[in-house]
Amino acid sequence: SHIRHAWDPTKSVAQNLAEMGLADDPNKAVPVPRKNLLGMEVESDGRKQGKKIVRKPYVVNEMEYEASLPEKKSNTLSRDLIDYVRYMIQNHGENYKASTGYEKNYYQDTPKQIKRKINVYKNFYPEEYKDFIASLKQEKMDVQ
């Protein structure tokens, strides 16, 4: 979005990027030294690049600031997986072998896969898992 706002449609791509202090060709921006047959490093391009005038330095500054912000973690599980895990816990509890032959096991998960999915659910939503287990225990007490 920063580049889009600073873009001048009357100029070429190379001119626009040069004004912003960005490179249009990464191979020219950071030359990689090539090795000749003797193993000695040789400059990839003999030409020296002249200093370019950056007329819009705020674009690079805004992009660097945005990149330095901490990333938001948005790890969630799908609603289908949550429903699947809750159903398996509700009907089979810790008996993973019994839950493998059940019709809700659409993906034909093995006992280890079901256990792993339940553990992932426990790690993502520990409070919700505790509340769910507590409600199951309460239901069993009410039935008996």
Side-chain angles (χ1 to χ4, degrees):
S1 66
H2 304 295
I3 294 172
R4 187 179 301 121
H5 293 302
W7 196 265
D8 184 3
T10 61
K11 297 181 181 176
S12 70
V13 173
Q15 289 172 334
N16 270 306
L17 292 176
E19 279 187 356
M20 294 178 209
L22 301 172
D24 62 332
D25 185 4
N27 294 322
K28 291 179 183 174
V30 182
V32 178
R34 296 183 187 165
K35 293 188 177 188
N36 63 9
L37 296 175
L38 301 173
M40 297 170 48
E41 290 185 0
V42 178
E43 193 64 33
S44 64
D45 195 359
R47 294 179 282 148
K48 286 191 174 182
Q49 301 235 346
K51 287 263 186 178
K52 294 183 179 177
I53 298 171
V54 179
R55 293 194 172 109
K56 300 176 184 176
Y58 60 90
V59 175
V60 174
N61 295 338
E62 289 172 355
M63 290 173 66
E64 286 176 349
Y65 172 74
E66 194 173 296
S68 69
L69 293 175
E71 187 177 327
K72 293 179 183 176
K73 291 187 178 183
S74 61
N75 295 340
T76 59
L77 298 178
S78 69
R79 190 75 234 166
D80 292 338
L81 181 63
I82 292 170
D83 293 341
Y84 172 77
V85 167
R86 291 181 76 146
Y87 187 83
M88 290 299 178
I89 294 170
Q90 189 173 7
N91 290 322
H92 303 289
E94 298 289 321
N95 189 358
Y96 305 115
K97 270 193 174 177
S99 58
T100 56
Y102 206 65
E103 65 186 35
K104 276 278 193 176
N105 189 2
Y106 302 123
Y107 302 109
Q108 298 180 349
D109 292 332
T110 63
K112 280 188 176 182
Q113 289 171 323
I114 293 172
K115 184 178 181 180
R116 192 176 310 122
K117 286 181 180 181
I118 291 172
N119 286 336
V120 166
Y121 175 71
K122 285 180 192 178
N123 292 336
F124 270 85
Y125 305 105
E127 294 298 321
E128 187 178 316
Y129 176 76
K130 288 176 187 173
D131 294 341
F132 181 63
I133 296 298
S135 70
L136 287 179
K137 288 180 182 175
Q138 187 64 33
E139 284 179 18
K140 285 182 182 178
M141 293 174 116
D142 292 343
V143 170
Q144 293 173 354

